[in-house]
Amino acid sequence: MAATSGRRSWHRHPSDPSVLEARTTTVAIELLRKGDVVALPTETVYGLAADALNPIAVAKIFEAKERPSFNPLIVHLPDEQWLERVAKVDDRSRAQIKKLISQFWPGPLTLVLARQPIVPEIVTAGLETVAVRMSSDPVFAEIISAFGKPVAAPSANRFGRISPTTAQHVFAELSGRIRLIIDAGPTMYGIESTIVAVREDRIDLLRRGPITVEQLAEFGAIHIVSAPKTVSAPGQLPSHYAPKTPLRLIDNAELFALEKNRRVGLLAWNAFIPAERFAAIRILSERQDLSEAAANLFRSLRELDDLDLDLIVAERVPARGLGAAILDRLQRASHDSGTRGRPE
Ligand code: TXA
Ligand code: MG
């Protein structure tokens, strides 16, 4: 797993990507206080943050992302004290929630809980629940604790596009729409947080992520929610995370029959790579390490997507541990491939 040490701490002006200045988190904090949006690193992916308790500030997130307003946002907390100010923890689930929090917070686990009235409807998209998490990213933590209030932050990409794992990705997605991107280098996990809802001891898995089913299973029975009926969660839409280039999942590039005159890119997992057959190749992890693969996933997809290929083929990774979350993202990226112009 990528270490956080040695990460650059700079901020980048979207108006001029060549200008890197020594980090001034103060500017980010000022923007948050003024009710503006700012792109911040988290340990999972870059987020587009605004004051979660200020509906006008939150509206600016939807505007910049072109996100349909019916999609609820994750509320990031400065500390655990904020949990019960924004969410209701019912007595029957309390013990389980506390266990999960003490094990995984701060970190990439999002909990869906009943909402407190203080949370604006625009944040929860009118739902009676609110998604909360506490990021372990040191730069994010520094900014949010100085701000002193919860921050709503979806991934800092335009709606339906690949989540950004570097400040450069955010720039490619949102330049001209936001005033500041805090650049702290590539994110540690590279995929979005695991989302769960807790019902007494049972854990409903709403989105796979860095905290794996295996890790969660130590705390209770896991119920995998595949097609939620009541929640419009874009992370759960089949065609979310779509690159522009059609993407197909395959087991093994060696067995893939290439069609003539097509420029095909390979997102490789297996050790043997038939390099001569592909117009471009990105290797998820030379060491076949699933954490490294997750950290490289969105950057590799984005790079292949930028090459104007006819097709991207992605080798399936093992479905264990983090591999399940990677497969989930690849499946969504491959869904309806070729149908361009879809909103999501
Ligand atoms: O790692 C992450 O979670 C990143 C970083 C920036 O924190 N954030 C992120 O946010 O992935 P976003 O908005 O791209 O995805 C949030 C997901 C969506 O699928 C949304 O529908 C779901 O969380 N969600 C939010 N509130 C919910 C709720 N009350 N019930 C169910 N799902 C909810
Ligand atoms: Mg997202």
Side-chain angles (χ1 to χ4, degrees):
M1 189 152 306
T4 47
S5 62
R7 299 200 326 159
R8 283 173 297 131
S9 290
W10 304 89
H11 77 256
R12 188 179 283 269
H13 285 288
S15 53
D16 184 355
S18 64
V19 178
L20 283 175
E21 294 174 12
R23 168 160 62 92
T24 51
T25 47
T26 353
V27 182
I29 297 156
E30 274 166 21
L31 285 171
L32 291 172
R33 290 208 177 110
K34 281 202 320 210
D36 212 335
V37 296
V38 54
L40 300 178
T42 83
E43 74 279 42
T44 57
V45 299
Y46 275 74
L48 184 60
D51 181 346
L53 305 182
N54 175 347
I56 294 164
V58 173
K60 293 180 188 167
I61 297 177
F62 290 104
E63 200 182 357
K65 279 185 64 103
E66 293 175 37
R67 184 178 202 170
S69 53
F70 49 80
N71 292 314
L73 305 177
I74 295 176
V75 173
H76 299 66
L77 307 177
D79 54 53
E80 256 185 72
Q81 270 73 60
W82 270 97
L83 176 68
E84 295 195 48
R85 295 191 212 160
V86 298
K88 292 177 194 153
V89 175
D90 77 78
D91 283 339
R92 281 166 301 150
S93 310
R94 180 175 294 274
Q96 177 67 296
I97 288 167
K98 292 285 170 192
K99 271 193 257 171
L100 290 171
I101 285 177
S102 71
Q103 181 72 20
F104 298 114
W105 277 16
L109 181 72
T110 296
L111 298 170
V112 173
L113 300 166
R115 121 182 200 272
Q116 293 282 15
I118 187 182
V119 184
E121 295 212 322
I122 187 170
V123 173
T124 62
L127 295 175
E128 279 313 309
T129 53
V130 60
V132 288
R133 87 177 191 94
M134 217 177 120
S135 171
S136 63
D137 182 279
V139 175
F140 188 96
E142 183 187 325
I143 292 169
I144 196 172
S145 61
F147 179 55
K149 287 201 286 176
V151 150
S155 49
N157 48 280
R158 273 172 286 140
F159 181 63
R161 303 273 297 123
I162 302 163
S163 291
T165 58
T166 65
Q168 289 71 21
H169 295 165
V170 180
F171 182 79
E173 290 285 323
L174 299 176
S175 77
R177 301 174 182 210
I178 61 175
R179 291 172 62 189
L180 181 68
I181 301 168
I182 298 280
D183 184 351
T187 62
M188 180 161 78
Y189 291 102
I191 52 174
E192 307 87 346
S193 63
T194 304
I195 305 182
V196 298
V198 175
R199 267 170 250 276
E200 301 179 23
D201 285 338
R202 195 179 92 178
I203 298 169
D204 288 350
L205 181 67
L206 303 177
R207 179 173 74 182
R208 291 180 191 268
I211 305 299
T212 63
V213 174
E214 290 87 338
Q215 285 173 289
L216 291 170
E218 290 181 24
F219 294 83
I222 310 292
H223 174 71
I224 294 169
V225 182
S226 46
K229 292 190 182 68
T230 48
V231 176
S232 297
Q236 295 159 348
L237 290 178
S239 66
H240 202 51
Y241 309 107
K244 295 187 292 281
T245 317
L247 184 138
R248 195 183 307 163
L249 265 173
I250 60 171
D251 285 322
N252 194 326
E254 237 186 307
L255 307 175
F256 177 70
L258 212 57
E259 293 155 44
K260 271 202 194 117
N261 301 327
R262 294 193 84 198
R263 293 179 68 242
V264 180
L266 171 66
L267 187 61
W269 166 258
N270 296 314
F272 180 78
I273 295 164
E276 68 292 344
R277 294 210 246 149
F278 294 94
I281 294 164
R282 290 295 180 278
I283 298 167
L284 281 177
S285 167
E286 302 262 11
R287 297 180 282 133
Q288 298 204 307
D289 173 85
L290 287 168
S291 309
E292 185 179 54
N296 286 331
L297 176 69
F298 289 144
R299 179 174 46 79
S300 307
L301 264 181
R302 193 177 278 273
E303 285 172 4
L304 289 171
D305 199 25
D306 284 343
L307 295 175
D308 276 329
L309 300 163
D310 298 312
L311 177 69
I312 299 169
V313 292
E315 286 181 327
R316 286 193 179 84
V317 303
R320 61 167 198 278
L322 258 182
I326 297 172
L327 274 176
D328 169 77
R329 303 304 189 275
L330 285 174
Q331 261 146 14
R332 292 177 206 279
S334 70
H335 183 88
D336 271 1
S337 253
T339 323
R340 291 169 195 227
R342 287 173 59 98
E344 59 271 342

